[in-house]
Coordinates of all heavy atoms in Angstrom, one line a residue:
M1 N 9.0 4.1 -29.2 CA 8.3 5.3 -28.8 C 7.8 5.1 -27.4 O 7.3 4.1 -27.0 CB 7.2 5.7 -29.7 CG 7.6 5.8 -31.2 SD 8.8 7.1 -31.6 CE 7.8 8.5 -31.2
W2 N 7.8 6.2 -26.6 CA 7.4 6.2 -25.2 C 5.9 5.7 -25.1 O 5.5 5.0 -24.2 CB 7.6 7.6 -24.6 CG 9.0 7.8 -24.2 CD1 9.9 8.7 -25.0 CD2 9.8 7.3 -23.2 NE1 11.0 8.8 -24.4 CE2 11.1 7.9 -23.3 CE3 9.6 6.4 -22.1 CZ2 12.1 7.6 -22.4 CZ3 10.6 6.1 -21.3 CH2 11.8 6.7 -21.4
D3 N 5.1 6.2 -26.1 CA 3.7 5.8 -26.0 C 3.5 4.4 -26.4 O 2.3 3.9 -26.1 CB 2.9 6.7 -27.0 CG 2.8 8.2 -26.7 OD1 3.0 8.5 -25.5 OD2 2.7 9.0 -27.5
D4 N 4.4 3.7 -26.8 CA 4.3 2.2 -27.1 C 4.6 1.3 -25.9 O 4.3 0.2 -25.9 CB 5.2 1.8 -28.2 CG 4.8 2.4 -29.5 OD1 3.6 2.7 -29.7 OD2 5.7 2.6 -30.5
I5 N 5.0 1.9 -24.8 CA 5.4 1.2 -23.6 C 4.2 1.0 -22.7 O 3.7 2.0 -22.2 CB 6.6 1.9 -22.8 CG1 7.8 1.9 -23.7 CG2 6.8 1.1 -21.5 CD1 8.9 2.6 -23.0
A6 N 3.7 -0.2 -22.6 CA 2.5 -0.5 -21.7 C 2.8 -0.7 -20.3 O 2.2 -0.2 -19.4 CB 1.7 -1.7 -22.3
D7 N 4.0 -1.4 -20.1 CA 4.3 -1.8 -18.7 C 5.9 -1.9 -18.6 O 6.4 -2.5 -19.6 CB 3.6 -3.1 -18.3 CG 3.9 -3.4 -16.9 OD1 3.8 -2.5 -16.0 OD2 4.1 -4.6 -16.6
V8 N 6.4 -1.6 -17.5 CA 7.8 -1.8 -17.3 C 7.9 -2.6 -15.9 O 7.3 -2.0 -15.0 CB 8.6 -0.5 -17.1 CG1 10.1 -0.8 -16.8 CG2 8.5 0.3 -18.5
G9 N 8.6 -3.6 -15.9 CA 8.6 -4.4 -14.6 C 10.0 -5.2 -14.5 O 10.8 -5.0 -15.5
V10 N 10.1 -6.0 -13.5 CA 11.2 -6.8 -13.3 C 10.7 -8.2 -13.1 O 9.8 -8.4 -12.1 CB 12.1 -6.3 -12.1 CG1 13.3 -7.2 -11.8 CG2 12.6 -4.8 -12.3
V11 N 11.3 -9.2 -13.8 CA 10.9 -10.5 -13.6 C 12.0 -11.2 -12.7 O 13.2 -11.2 -12.9 CB 10.9 -11.2 -15.0 CG1 10.7 -12.7 -14.9 CG2 10.0 -10.5 -16.0
A12 N 11.4 -11.8 -11.7 CA 12.3 -12.5 -10.8 C 12.7 -13.9 -11.4 O 11.8 -14.6 -12.0 CB 11.5 -12.8 -9.4
A13 N 14.0 -14.1 -11.5 CA 14.5 -15.3 -12.0 C 15.9 -15.5 -11.2 O 16.2 -14.7 -10.3 CB 14.8 -15.2 -13.5
R14 N 16.7 -16.5 -11.7 CA 18.0 -16.7 -11.1 C 18.8 -15.4 -11.1 O 19.4 -15.0 -10.1 CB 18.7 -17.7 -11.9 CG 20.0 -18.3 -11.2 CD 20.7 -19.3 -11.9 NE 21.9 -18.7 -12.6 CZ 22.0 -18.7 -14.0 NH1 21.1 -19.2 -14.7 NH2 23.1 -18.1 -14.4
A15 N 18.6 -14.6 -12.2 CA 19.1 -13.2 -12.3 C 17.9 -12.4 -12.8 O 17.3 -12.7 -13.8 CB 20.3 -13.2 -13.3
A16 N 17.6 -11.4 -12.0 CA 16.5 -10.5 -12.4 C 16.6 -10.0 -13.8 O 17.6 -9.7 -14.2 CB 16.3 -9.4 -11.3
K17 N 15.4 -9.8 -14.4 CA 15.5 -9.2 -15.8 C 14.5 -8.1 -15.9 O 13.4 -8.3 -15.4 CB 15.2 -10.4 -16.7 CG 16.1 -11.5 -16.8 CD 15.8 -12.4 -17.8 CE 16.8 -13.6 -17.9 NZ 16.4 -14.7 -18.7
L18 N 14.8 -7.1 -16.6 CA 14.0 -6.0 -17.0 C 12.9 -6.5 -18.0 O 13.4 -7.2 -18.9 CB 14.7 -4.8 -17.6 CG 13.9 -3.7 -18.0 CD1 13.3 -2.9 -16.8 CD2 14.7 -2.7 -18.9
S19 N 11.7 -6.2 -17.8 CA 10.6 -6.6 -18.7 C 10.0 -5.3 -19.2 O 9.4 -4.6 -18.4 CB 9.7 -7.5 -18.0 OG 8.5 -7.8 -18.8
I20 N 9.9 -5.2 -20.5 CA 9.1 -4.0 -21.2 C 8.1 -4.7 -22.1 O 8.4 -5.4 -23.0 CB 10.2 -3.2 -22.0 CG1 11.2 -2.7 -21.0 CG2 9.4 -2.0 -22.6 CD1 12.3 -1.9 -21.8
A21 N 6.8 -4.3 -21.8 CA 5.7 -4.8 -22.6 C 5.2 -3.6 -23.4 O 5.0 -2.5 -22.9 CB 4.6 -5.4 -21.7
D22 N 4.8 -4.0 -24.7 CA 4.3 -2.9 -25.5 C 2.8 -2.9 -25.5 O 2.1 -3.8 -25.0 CB 4.8 -2.9 -26.9 CG 4.3 -4.1 -27.8 OD1 3.3 -4.8 -27.4 OD2 4.9 -4.4 -28.8
V23 N 2.2 -1.9 -26.0 CA 0.7 -1.7 -26.0 C 0.0 -2.6 -26.9 O -1.2 -2.8 -26.8 CB 0.4 -0.2 -26.3 CG1 0.8 0.8 -25.3 CG2 0.9 0.2 -27.8
N24 N 0.7 -3.2 -27.9 CA 0.2 -4.2 -28.8 C 0.0 -5.6 -28.3 O -0.5 -6.5 -28.9 CB 0.9 -4.2 -30.1 CG 1.0 -2.9 -30.8 OD1 -0.1 -2.2 -30.8 ND2 2.1 -2.5 -31.3
G25 N 0.5 -5.8 -27.0 CA 0.4 -7.2 -26.4 C 1.4 -8.1 -26.9 O 1.3 -9.3 -26.6
S26 N 2.4 -7.7 -27.5 CA 3.5 -8.6 -27.9 C 4.1 -9.1 -26.7 O 4.0 -8.6 -25.5 CB 4.6 -7.8 -28.8 OG 4.0 -7.4 -29.9
H27 N 5.0 -10.2 -26.8 CA 5.7 -10.8 -25.7 C 6.7 -9.7 -25.3 O 7.3 -9.0 -26.0 CB 6.5 -12.0 -26.2 CG 5.7 -13.3 -26.5 ND1 5.1 -13.9 -25.5 CD2 5.3 -13.8 -27.6 CE1 4.4 -14.9 -26.0 NE2 4.6 -14.9 -27.3
P28 N 6.8 -9.5 -23.9 CA 7.7 -8.6 -23.4 C 9.2 -8.7 -23.8 O 9.6 -9.9 -23.9 CB 7.6 -8.7 -21.9 CG 6.3 -9.6 -21.7 CD 6.1 -10.3 -22.9
V29 N 9.8 -7.7 -23.9 CA 11.3 -7.7 -24.2 C 11.9 -7.9 -22.8 O 11.6 -7.2 -21.9 CB 11.7 -6.4 -24.7 CG1 13.3 -6.4 -24.9 CG2 11.2 -6.2 -26.2
L30 N 12.9 -8.9 -22.7 CA 13.6 -9.1 -21.4 C 15.0 -8.8 -21.6 O 15.6 -9.1 -22.7 CB 13.4 -10.5 -20.9 CG 11.9 -11.1 -20.7 CD1 11.9 -12.6 -20.4 CD2 11.3 -10.3 -19.6
A31 N 15.6 -8.2 -20.5 CA 17.0 -7.9 -20.5 C 17.5 -8.1 -19.2 O 17.0 -7.6 -18.2 CB 17.2 -6.4 -21.0
A32 N 18.7 -8.7 -19.1 CA 19.4 -9.0 -17.9 C 20.4 -8.0 -17.6 O 20.8 -7.2 -18.5 CB 20.0 -10.4 -17.9
M33 N 20.9 -8.0 -16.4 CA 21.9 -6.9 -15.9 C 23.1 -6.8 -16.9 O 23.5 -5.6 -17.2 CB 22.3 -7.2 -14.5 CG 23.2 -6.1 -14.0 SD 23.9 -6.3 -12.3 CE 22.4 -6.0 -11.3
P34 N 23.7 -7.9 -17.3 CA 24.8 -7.7 -18.2 C 24.5 -7.0 -19.5 O 25.3 -6.2 -20.0 CB 25.3 -9.1 -18.5 CG 24.8 -9.9 -17.4 CD 23.6 -9.3 -17.0
S35 N 23.3 -7.1 -20.0 CA 23.0 -6.4 -21.2 C 22.6 -4.9 -20.9 O 22.9 -4.1 -21.7 CB 21.6 -7.0 -21.8 OG 22.0 -8.3 -22.2
L36 N 22.1 -4.6 -19.7 CA 21.7 -3.3 -19.4 C 22.9 -2.5 -18.8 O 22.9 -1.3 -19.0 CB 20.7 -3.4 -18.3 CG 19.3 -4.0 -18.7 CD1 18.5 -4.2 -17.4 CD2 18.6 -3.1 -19.7
G37 N 23.8 -3.1 -18.2 CA 24.9 -2.5 -17.5 C 24.5 -1.8 -16.3 O 25.2 -0.9 -15.7
A38 N 23.3 -2.2 -15.7 CA 22.7 -1.6 -14.5 C 21.8 -2.6 -13.9 O 21.3 -3.5 -14.6 CB 22.1 -0.3 -14.7
D39 N 21.4 -2.3 -12.7 CA 20.4 -3.2 -12.0 C 19.0 -3.0 -12.7 O 18.6 -1.9 -12.8 CB 20.2 -2.7 -10.5 CG 19.4 -3.5 -9.7 OD1 18.4 -4.0 -10.2 OD2 19.6 -3.6 -8.4
P40 N 18.4 -4.1 -13.1 CA 17.1 -4.0 -13.7 C 16.1 -3.2 -12.9 O 15.2 -2.7 -13.5 CB 16.6 -5.5 -13.9 CG 18.0 -6.2 -13.9 CD 18.9 -5.5 -13.0
N41 N 16.2 -3.3 -11.6 CA 15.2 -2.6 -10.7 C 15.4 -1.1 -10.9 O 14.4 -0.4 -10.9 CB 15.3 -3.0 -9.3 CG 15.0 -4.5 -9.0 OD1 13.8 -4.8 -9.0 ND2 16.0 -5.3 -8.8
D42 N 16.6 -0.6 -11.0 CA 16.9 0.8 -11.2 C 16.4 1.2 -12.6 O 15.8 2.3 -12.7 CB 18.4 1.1 -11.0 CG 18.8 1.0 -9.5 OD1 17.9 1.1 -8.6 OD2 20.0 0.9 -9.3
V43 N 16.7 0.4 -13.5 CA 16.3 0.8 -15.0 C 14.8 0.8 -15.1 O 14.3 1.8 -15.6 CB 16.9 -0.3 -15.9 CG1 16.4 0.0 -17.4 CG2 18.4 -0.3 -15.9
A44 N 14.1 0.0 -14.3 CA 12.7 0.0 -14.4 C 12.1 1.3 -13.8 O 11.1 1.9 -14.3 CB 12.0 -1.2 -13.6
V45 N 12.6 1.7 -12.6 CA 12.2 2.9 -12.0 C 12.4 4.2 -13.0 O 11.5 5.0 -13.2 CB 13.0 3.2 -10.7 CG1 12.8 4.6 -10.2 CG2 12.6 2.1 -9.6
V46 N 13.6 4.2 -13.6 CA 13.8 5.3 -14.5 C 12.9 5.3 -15.8 O 12.4 6.3 -16.2 CB 15.3 5.3 -15.0 CG1 15.6 6.3 -16.0 CG2 16.3 5.6 -13.8
L47 N 12.8 4.1 -16.4 CA 11.8 4.0 -17.5 C 10.4 4.4 -17.1 O 9.8 5.1 -17.9 CB 11.9 2.6 -18.1 CG 13.1 2.3 -18.9 CD1 13.1 0.8 -19.3 CD2 13.3 3.2 -20.1
R48 N 9.9 3.9 -16.0 CA 8.6 4.3 -15.6 C 8.4 5.7 -15.4 O 7.5 6.3 -15.8 CB 8.2 3.5 -14.2 CG 7.8 2.2 -14.5 CD 7.2 1.6 -13.1 NE 7.5 0.2 -13.1 CZ 8.4 -0.4 -12.3 NH1 9.1 0.3 -11.4 NH2 8.7 -1.8 -12.2
F49 N 9.4 6.4 -14.7 CA 9.4 7.8 -14.5 C 9.2 8.5 -15.8 O 8.3 9.4 -16.0 CB 10.6 8.3 -13.9 CG 10.7 9.8 -13.6 CD1 9.9 10.3 -12.6 CD2 11.4 10.5 -14.5 CE1 9.9 11.8 -12.5 CE2 11.4 12.0 -14.3 CZ 10.7 12.5 -13.3
F50 N 10.1 8.3 -16.8 CA 10.1 9.1 -18.1 C 8.9 8.7 -18.9 O 8.4 9.5 -19.7 CB 11.4 9.0 -18.8 CG 12.4 9.7 -18.1 CD1 13.5 9.2 -17.4 CD2 12.4 11.1 -18.1 CE1 14.5 10.0 -16.8 CE2 13.4 12.0 -17.5 CZ 14.4 11.3 -16.8
R51 N 8.4 7.4 -18.8 CA 7.2 7.0 -19.5 C 5.9 7.8 -19.0 O 5.1 8.4 -19.8 CB 6.9 5.6 -19.4 CG 5.6 5.2 -20.1 CD 5.1 3.9 -19.6 NE 4.8 3.9 -18.2 CZ 4.5 2.8 -17.4 NH1 4.5 1.6 -18.0 NH2 4.2 2.9 -16.2
D52 N 5.9 7.9 -17.7 CA 4.8 8.5 -17.0 C 4.8 10.1 -16.9 O 3.8 10.8 -16.6 CB 4.6 8.1 -15.6 CG 4.3 6.5 -15.6 OD1 3.9 6.0 -16.7 OD2 4.4 5.9 -14.5
H53 N 6.0 10.7 -17.2 CA 6.2 12.1 -17.1 C 6.8 12.7 -18.4 O 8.1 13.1 -18.4 CB 7.2 12.5 -15.9 CG 6.5 12.2 -14.6 ND1 6.7 10.9 -14.0 CD2 5.7 12.9 -13.8 CE1 6.0 10.9 -12.9 NE2 5.4 12.0 -12.7
P54 N 6.1 12.7 -19.5 CA 6.6 13.2 -20.7 C 7.2 14.6 -20.7 O 8.2 14.9 -21.4 CB 5.4 13.2 -21.7 CG 4.2 12.9 -20.9 CD 4.7 12.4 -19.5
D55 N 6.7 15.4 -19.8 CA 7.2 16.8 -19.7 C 8.7 16.8 -19.1 O 9.4 17.8 -19.2 CB 6.3 17.6 -18.8 CG 6.0 17.0 -17.5 OD1 5.7 15.7 -17.4 OD2 6.1 17.7 -16.4
E56 N 9.1 15.7 -18.5 CA 10.4 15.7 -17.9 C 11.5 15.1 -18.9 O 12.6 15.1 -18.6 CB 10.4 14.8 -16.6 CG 9.5 15.3 -15.5 CD 10.2 16.4 -14.8 OE1 11.4 16.7 -15.0 OE2 9.5 17.0 -14.0
R57 N 11.1 14.6 -20.0 CA 12.0 13.9 -21.0 C 13.1 14.8 -21.6 O 14.2 14.3 -22.0 CB 11.2 13.3 -22.1 CG 10.3 12.1 -21.6 CD 9.6 11.5 -22.8 NE 8.5 10.6 -22.2 CZ 7.5 10.3 -22.8 NH1 7.2 10.8 -24.0 NH2 6.5 9.6 -22.2
S58 N 12.9 16.0 -21.6 CA 14.0 17.0 -22.0 C 15.2 16.8 -21.3 O 16.3 17.0 -21.9 CB 13.5 18.4 -22.1 OG 13.2 18.9 -20.7
V59 N 15.2 16.4 -20.0 CA 16.4 16.2 -19.2 C 17.2 15.1 -19.8 O 18.4 15.0 -19.6 CB 16.1 16.0 -17.8 CG1 15.5 14.6 -17.5 CG2 17.2 16.3 -16.9
L60 N 16.7 14.2 -20.6 CA 17.3 13.0 -21.1 C 18.5 13.6 -22.1 O 19.6 12.9 -22.3 CB 16.5 12.1 -21.9 CG 15.5 11.3 -21.0 CD1 14.4 10.6 -21.9 CD2 16.3 10.4 -20.1
T61 N 18.3 14.7 -22.7 CA 19.3 15.3 -23.6 C 20.6 15.8 -22.8 O 21.7 15.9 -23.4 CB 18.9 16.5 -24.4 OG1 18.5 17.5 -23.6 CG2 17.7 16.0 -25.3
E62 N 20.4 16.0 -21.5 CA 21.6 16.3 -20.6 C 22.5 15.2 -20.3 O 23.5 15.4 -19.7 CB 21.0 17.1 -19.5 CG 20.2 18.3 -19.8 CD 19.7 18.9 -18.5 OE1 20.2 18.7 -17.4 OE2 18.6 19.5 -18.6
G63 N 22.1 14.0 -20.5 CA 22.9 12.8 -20.2 C 22.2 12.0 -19.0 O 21.3 12.4 -18.3
G64 N 22.9 10.8 -18.8 CA 22.4 9.9 -17.9 C 22.4 10.3 -16.5 O 21.4 10.1 -15.7
E65 N 23.4 11.0 -16.0 CA 23.5 11.5 -14.7 C 22.5 12.4 -14.4 O 21.8 12.4 -13.3 CB 24.9 12.1 -14.4 CG 25.3 12.5 -13.0 CD 25.4 11.2 -12.1 OE1 25.8 10.1 -12.6 OE2 25.2 11.3 -11.0
A66 N 22.2 13.4 -15.2 CA 21.1 14.4 -15.0 C 19.8 13.7 -14.9 O 18.9 14.1 -14.1 CB 21.2 15.4 -16.1
A67 N 19.5 12.7 -15.8 CA 18.2 12.0 -15.8 C 18.1 11.3 -14.5 O 17.0 11.3 -13.9 CB 18.2 11.1 -17.0
L68 N 19.2 10.6 -14.0 CA 19.0 9.8 -12.7 C 18.7 10.8 -11.6 O 17.9 10.5 -10.7 CB 20.3 9.0 -12.5 CG 20.6 8.0 -13.4 CD1 21.9 7.3 -13.1 CD2 19.5 6.9 -13.4
R69 N 19.4 11.9 -11.5 CA 19.2 12.9 -10.5 C 17.8 13.5 -10.5 O 17.2 13.8 -9.5 CB 20.2 14.0 -10.5 CG 21.7 13.7 -10.4 CD 22.1 12.9 -9.2 NE 21.7 11.6 -8.9 CZ 22.4 10.5 -9.3 NH1 23.6 10.6 -9.9 NH2 21.9 9.2 -9.1
R70 N 17.2 13.7 -11.7 CA 15.8 14.2 -11.8 C 14.9 13.1 -11.2 O 14.0 13.5 -10.5 CB 15.5 14.5 -13.3 CG 14.1 15.0 -13.5 CD 13.9 16.4 -12.9 NE 14.8 17.3 -13.5 CZ 14.6 18.1 -14.6 NH1 13.5 18.0 -15.3 NH2 15.6 18.9 -14.9
V71 N 15.0 11.9 -11.5 CA 14.2 10.8 -11.1 C 14.2 10.9 -9.5 O 13.2 10.8 -8.8 CB 14.6 9.4 -11.6 CG1 13.7 8.4 -10.8 CG2 14.3 9.3 -13.0
E72 N 15.5 11.0 -8.9 CA 15.6 10.9 -7.4 C 15.0 12.2 -6.9 O 14.3 12.0 -5.8 CB 17.1 10.9 -7.2 CG 17.8 9.7 -7.5 CD 19.3 9.6 -7.2 OE1 19.9 10.8 -7.1 OE2 19.8 8.5 -7.2
R73 N 15.1 13.3 -7.5 CA 14.5 14.6 -6.9 C 12.9 14.5 -6.9 O 12.4 14.8 -5.9 CB 15.0 15.8 -7.6 CG 16.2 16.3 -7.2 CD 16.6 17.7 -7.8 NE 16.5 17.9 -9.2 CZ 17.5 17.6 -10.0 NH1 18.7 17.1 -9.5 NH2 17.3 17.7 -11.3
V74 N 12.4 14.0 -8.1 CA 10.9 14.1 -8.2 C 10.3 12.9 -7.4 O 9.3 13.1 -6.7 CB 10.6 14.0 -9.7 CG1 9.1 13.9 -9.8 CG2 11.0 15.3 -10.4
W75 N 10.8 11.7 -7.6 CA 10.2 10.5 -6.9 C 10.8 10.1 -5.6 O 10.3 9.3 -4.9 CB 10.2 9.3 -7.9 CG 9.1 9.3 -8.8 CD1 8.1 10.1 -9.0 CD2 8.8 8.3 -9.7 NE1 7.3 9.8 -10.0 CE2 7.6 8.6 -10.5 CE3 9.5 7.0 -10.0 CZ2 7.1 7.7 -11.5 CZ3 8.9 6.2 -11.1 CH2 7.7 6.6 -11.7
G76 N 11.9 10.8 -5.3 CA 12.6 10.4 -4.0 C 13.0 9.0 -4.0 O 13.2 8.3 -2.9
K77 N 13.4 8.4 -5.1 CA 14.0 7.1 -5.2 C 15.4 7.2 -5.6 O 15.7 7.9 -6.6 CB 13.2 6.2 -6.2 CG 11.8 6.0 -5.8 CD 11.1 5.1 -6.7 CE 9.6 4.9 -6.4 NZ 9.2 3.6 -6.0
T78 N 16.3 6.5 -4.9 CA 17.7 6.5 -5.3 C 17.9 5.5 -6.3 O 17.5 4.3 -6.2 CB 18.6 6.2 -4.0 OG1 18.3 7.2 -3.0 CG2 20.1 6.2 -4.4
V79 N 18.6 5.9 -7.4 CA 18.9 5.0 -8.5 C 20.4 5.1 -8.8 O 20.9 6.3 -8.6 CB 18.1 5.2 -9.8 CG1 16.6 4.8 -9.6 CG2 18.2 6.7 -10.2
S80 N 21.0 4.1 -9.2 CA 22.5 4.2 -9.3 C 22.9 4.1 -10.8 O 22.1 3.8 -11.7 CB 23.2 3.2 -8.6 OG 22.6 1.9 -8.7

């Protein structure tokens, strides 16, 4: 659930990894680019946006491209 996401970040390593921490303080979930199919930095931006803007989540039903364009329009950050 969106309300369970405490923090979204990127861990610097040989290959950068997306890090998602929950509100319960569990060990963060880590995912590398091959698992994500995208740059962890871009995924972190998108997750943070929809976590912080619940009123924008309806665009997620329109598909990935629409969601990415919404993030770009609102935050002015290019995501691929």
Side-chain angles (χ1 to χ4, degrees):
M1 302 296 295
W2 287 103
D3 292 338
D4 293 334
I5 299 174
D7 187 43
V8 178
V10 177
V11 175
R14 193 178 101 245
K17 294 179 181 174
L18 176 71
S19 172
I20 303 172
D22 70 17
V23 295
N24 297 319
S26 300
H27 290 286
V29 173
L30 300 177
M33 186 182 285
S35 300
L36 298 169
D39 183 330
N41 294 289
D42 289 341
V43 175
V45 167
V46 173
L47 286 176
R48 278 190 212 108
F49 176 80
F50 287 107
R51 180 199 60 191
D52 296 345
H53 296 89
D55 54 314
E56 297 283 352
R57 293 180 194 155
S58 63
V59 76
L60 293 170
T61 63
E62 297 174 29
E65 187 69 25
L68 294 177
R69 300 301 73 89
R70 180 68 55 92
V71 172
E72 290 175 344
R73 278 193 303 275
V74 175
W75 272 6
K77 295 181 186 242
T78 303
V79 290
S80 47

